[in-house]
Amino acid sequence: MRRTTRRLMRGLAVLSVLALGATACGGSDDDSADQKPVSAGDIQAALKKGGTVTVWAWEPTLKTVAADFEKKYPKVKINLVGERSGDKHYTALSNAISAEKGVPDIAQVEYFALGQYALTKGLTDLTPFGADKLKAKYTPGPWNAVSEGDKVYGLPMDSGPMALFYNKKVFDKYKVAVPTTWDEYVEAARKLHKADPKVYIAADAGDAGLTTSMLWQAGSRPYQVDGTKVKIDFADAGAKKYTDTWQKLIDEKLVAPIYGWTDDWYKGLGDGTIATLPSGAWMPANFVTGVPKASGDWRAAPLPAWTKGDKASAENGGSSLTVPELAKNKELAYAFVEYANAGDGVQTRIKQGAFPATTAELQSTEFQNTKFDYFGGQEANKIFADSAANVADDWSYLPFQQYANSIFNDTVGKAYISKTKLADALKSWQDASVKYGKEQGFTVE
């Protein structure tokens, strides 16, 4: 599920400094080696004994999952704290970890943010609980996001394989073919805008999540992370593919200067002035609730390819359930995490509109044959599942990606409002991220 990533996470940044310093001063590089294996019998004994598990998560489907879990294990109480949103969630989590007080037993953490908590030893390595044995259940992208080497810092809750959502009504009206490549996408943008100057192929005022996803699909790998050693480089061939193409859209003013998730953005999606949306598979539910009047106008299509026929895709968004290192009830916490993200809870969440990260559900006939009334009865899950299967699993986020994303609009954003070229703006983002990483004690190239 999508969360805003633009604003700064000052509290977490401070935590990172302190915790990284502690690591450099002699913390074990392999804390999990000190953890005793937790058997299925241990977990069942904990469930039988009972207790309270506090969960900090905003995912709405967890409410039903928690109720079902309590029904199955009547001695366990799930205290679901879900009123926090956006940065407040991470700030509260970081502050609690830093203060070593009030830390939840389970915390929802987005994939892009997970590395920072894992590196600063805020999360429990779930390998001793048997989480590593669940790898085959998940698609490669989400699993790669929660694991590092032989360690597993959470279980994937959902995923965001990308697709191109497009307004069929607009494309049909102007007799423009739905693009299958990014070159065709630029041509479609020109045709639509020429046919009606009020129509834009997309809205984009600068979004870190979209940009990193596009780089991911283009084969760029700007972030190389090995513990506290980090390399940042936006000069590879994949990045050039992206900047060369997206620069045309910016230069020719073919993308609407509208930030996502704003009132203007919803209005544009609803009235046809925003013709497409490259986004994650979690987007349909947002169309239904946020753009109800356009029901029937929109469809989903495979994400355009950089080379015709290529099926490479990328993830956009997605989150996991993690167990903080300072959690009090780890056996019970892990039991709930596994139930919600690998057990019966998966089906419960799918029925309420969540997009799974588990391969079996993605490939099931029932899931793939689901008809979306909003998309004119289209079986859109087939497109999303195909995308999930074609996500490269070698992408890495920075261990301080939250900070990097927070300065995206101060660096890359200039390409949208000035004559700064997108490639140069990415270099500015790189330089600022390198500077910050070094200041925090990372070895950064």
Side-chain angles (χ1 to χ4, degrees):
M1 182 166 287
R2 196 265 184 197
R3 295 283 302 277
T4 182
T5 60
R6 289 201 299 273
R7 291 173 291 174
L8 182 59
M9 299 294 300
R10 298 289 184 192
L12 187 56
V14 173
L15 172 67
S16 177
V17 176
L18 298 175
L20 185 56
T23 301
C25 290
S28 169
D29 290 334
D30 189 9
D31 288 350
S32 62
D34 299 329
Q35 291 182 244
K36 294 180 180 178
V38 180
S39 69
D42 294 333
I43 293 174
Q44 287 301 316
L47 289 167
K48 188 175 181 180
K49 182 180 179 182
T52 298
V53 178
T54 297
V55 183
W56 287 7
W58 62 84
E59 165 58 51
T61 63
L62 287 178
K63 185 175 182 180
T64 303
V65 174
D68 292 346
F69 189 82
E70 289 176 335
K71 187 176 182 180
K72 186 172 183 179
Y73 303 105
K75 290 190 176 181
V76 180
K77 167 68 176 176
I78 303 298
N79 177 28
L80 188 59
V81 181
E83 71 271 19
R84 297 187 182 91
S85 62
D87 296 350
K88 292 180 180 178
H89 173 81
Y90 291 116
T91 300
L93 179 61
S94 300
N95 289 343
I97 293 173
S98 181
E100 299 184 3
K101 184 178 180 181
V103 179
D105 299 297
I106 297 172
Q108 183 174 350
V109 178
E110 289 162 282
Y111 297 138
F112 81 90
L114 194 144
Q116 188 154 333
Y117 283 102
L119 181 64
T120 55
K121 302 190 176 181
L123 303 179
T124 302
D125 174 15
L126 301 178
T127 303
F129 293 79
D132 55 323
K133 297 178 177 61
L134 299 174
K135 177 180 178 179
K137 278 183 170 283
Y138 297 100
T139 53
W143 185 259
N144 182 60
V146 301
S147 58
E148 180 183 352
D150 59 356
K151 298 181 180 181
V152 181
Y153 290 103
L155 290 184
M157 183 159 58
D158 52 19
S159 63
M162 294 187 76
L164 182 71
F165 299 94
Y166 68 97
N167 191 316
K168 183 177 185 297
K169 185 177 178 180
V170 172
F171 275 78
D172 288 349
K173 178 179 180 180
Y174 297 114
K175 296 181 173 54
V176 175
V178 178
T180 62
T181 68
W182 288 113
D183 286 339
E184 291 176 4
Y185 189 79
V186 174
E187 285 302 315
R190 290 167 175 155
K191 291 177 181 177
L192 289 172
H193 197 58
K194 182 178 181 180
D196 184 347
K198 294 181 180 179
V199 174
Y200 295 85
I201 192 72
D204 185 15
D207 181 278
L210 174 62
T211 298
T212 49
S213 293
M214 296 291 288
L215 291 168
W216 186 342
Q217 191 217 8
S220 177
R221 296 294 180 267
Y223 306 130
Q224 302 295 323
V225 181
D226 181 10
T228 58
K229 296 179 181 178
V230 177
K231 182 178 181 179
I232 307 173
D233 182 6
F234 286 105
D236 61 19
K240 190 173 189 307
K241 282 184 191 176
Y242 165 68
T243 55
D244 284 353
T245 298
W246 221 254
Q247 189 67 57
K248 296 174 186 173
L249 297 174
I250 296 173
D251 287 346
E252 297 177 39
K253 301 185 186 306
L254 298 174
V255 288
I258 298 173
Y259 288 107
W261 311 99
T262 62
D263 290 343
D264 286 344
W265 183 73
Y266 282 113
K267 181 177 181 297
L269 293 175
D271 65 16
T273 56
I274 300 173
T276 77
L277 177 66
S279 190
W282 38 260
M283 189 60 207
N286 294 282
F287 270 116
V288 172
T289 58
V291 202
K293 292 184 178 178
S295 179
D297 294 349
W298 286 79
R299 299 288 187 277
L303 196 64
W306 291 100
T307 302
K308 198 170 187 63
D310 185 11
K311 290 190 172 184
S313 189
E315 292 276 342
N316 183 263
S319 61
S320 62
L321 288 181
T322 66
V323 179
E325 185 61 46
L326 296 175
K328 295 178 180 177
N329 299 308
K330 290 188 178 180
E331 286 81 5
L332 288 181
Y334 181 76
F336 181 74
V337 169
E338 184 172 332
Y339 176 87
N341 291 2
D344 292 346
V346 175
Q347 283 296 333
T348 302
R349 297 184 56 254
I350 289 174
K351 289 176 182 176
Q352 296 191 13
F355 191 83
T358 42
T359 305
E361 279 71 26
L362 283 168
Q363 295 178 347
S364 73
T365 300
E366 180 181 2
F367 179 77
Q368 296 207 11
N369 288 348
T370 299
K371 296 182 185 297
F372 288 74
D373 291 340
Y374 191 91
F375 297 140
Q378 183 184 16
E379 295 174 346
N381 280 341
K382 291 179 178 175
I383 292 170
F384 305 147
D386 190 51
S387 175
N390 288 291
V391 174
D393 64 356
D394 58 346
W395 173 269
S396 294
Y397 285 110
L398 288 172
F400 44 89
Q401 192 69 45
Q402 287 167 309
Y403 174 80
N405 285 4
S406 76
I407 60 171
F408 181 87
N409 287 94
D410 296 331
T411 51
V412 182
K414 291 181 179 178
Y416 291 83
I417 59 175
S418 71
K419 293 183 179 179
T420 301
K421 295 299 182 184
L422 190 55
D424 294 334
L426 281 176
K427 180 63 166 57
S428 296
W429 194 28
Q430 172 182 316
D431 292 343
S433 298
V434 167
K435 180 176 182 293
Y436 177 82
K438 289 181 177 178
E439 289 173 351
Q440 309 311 308
F442 291 90
T443 300
V444 189
E445 295 182 39

